[in-house]
Amino acid sequence: MINEIMIFLLKTILGLFSLALLLRFYFQLLRVPYYNNIAQFLIAVTDFIVRPARRVIPGWRGLDMSTLVLAWLAECVIVTSVYLYQGFDFGTNMVTATGVMGLLGMVEIIKITLYIVLFMIIAQAIISWVNPFSPLAPLLNTFTQPFLSVFRRRIPPIANVDLSPLFVLIIIQLLLMVVAGVHMEVKSMLD
């Protein structure tokens, strides 16, 4: 019972922090407008660890690698802690277990990224129907544009209905299935 509570708290707290770091990374990557409440919140929540990490982890080709590496480390801590609380013995093969935890952390980052894009596209669709002039609309448009533009160039609107979000959501679902399979393969390396 205590282990389940600790796992839940760890996944919730570190998971939300990892999500904040990933959103900050993607907001910078996709050049989401800096002066909106969500971007300001993400910066305020993560700045205490991102600024010192930038001294150690340099950027790469304009990417804020320190933020991405910190999100990956948070996911690695979550995965490792869950295994520890479940009684997994890392002492038998520490090198393999460490590598597997790093890979599982990467798989989790990819999965969270897919869910972020999925949520942003659904939120954008809902807001475009309910209140297209919402303050969130520019943020969502900037974030989803790179994903939707691939299909918008090839598939014209049908009766003024843009089907590109549907195709992106289908591809995300397929990718989530692939990620789940990769997760099981990586996890089987521990056996």
Side-chain angles (χ1 to χ4, degrees), residues 36-184:
N36 66 59
N37 292 339
I38 296 175
Q40 294 296 316
F41 172 77
L42 294 173
I43 290 168
V45 168
T46 58
D47 231 20
F48 78 95
I49 197 164
V50 170
R51 283 188 186 260
R54 283 185 180 155
R55 292 185 208 126
V56 179
I57 305 166
W60 181 72
R61 294 186 180 207
L63 298 176
D64 184 14
M65 294 307 292
S66 60
T67 307
L68 184 60
V69 169
L70 287 170
W72 172 71
L73 287 173
E75 288 301 321
C76 289
V77 168
I78 292 170
V79 170
T80 304
S81 300
V82 167
Y83 274 93
L84 283 172
Y85 278 117
Q86 291 174 343
F88 183 78
D89 183 21
F90 285 98
T92 57
N93 195 350
M94 186 65 124
V95 175
T96 302
T98 303
V100 169
M101 293 301 122
L103 286 174
L104 286 174
M106 278 194 242
V107 170
E108 288 298 317
I109 291 292
I110 294 168
K111 185 170 79 172
I112 292 169
T113 298
L114 290 171
Y115 277 118
I116 289 171
V117 175
L118 181 90
F119 174 78
M120 292 287 195
I121 288 174
I122 291 171
Q124 180 187 20
I126 291 170
I127 286 177
S128 72
W129 297 331
V130 176
N131 183 8
F133 303 107
S134 166
L136 281 178
L139 180 141
L140 294 171
N141 288 335
T142 305
F143 192 93
T144 59
Q145 181 61 31
F147 306 102
L148 298 175
S149 65
V150 173
F151 293 99
R152 285 181 176 154
R153 279 183 251 145
R154 291 170 179 80
I155 303 167
I158 299 171
N160 287 333
V161 175
D162 183 14
L163 296 177
S164 58
L166 178 65
F167 290 104
V168 174
L169 294 178
I170 290 170
I171 289 175
I172 289 173
Q173 288 298 322
L174 292 172
L175 289 173
L176 284 169
M177 289 179 200
V178 170
V179 167
V182 169
H183 186 272
M184 295 305 291

Side-chain angles (χ1 to χ4, degrees), residues 16-36:
L16 287 173
F17 187 66
S18 173
L19 176 64
L21 287 165
L22 271 177
L23 282 171
R24 179 177 176 155
F25 174 77
Y26 291 124
F27 278 20
Q28 290 174 349
L29 175 69
L30 298 171
R31 295 186 176 23
V32 171
Y34 177 75
Y35 293 105
N36 66 59

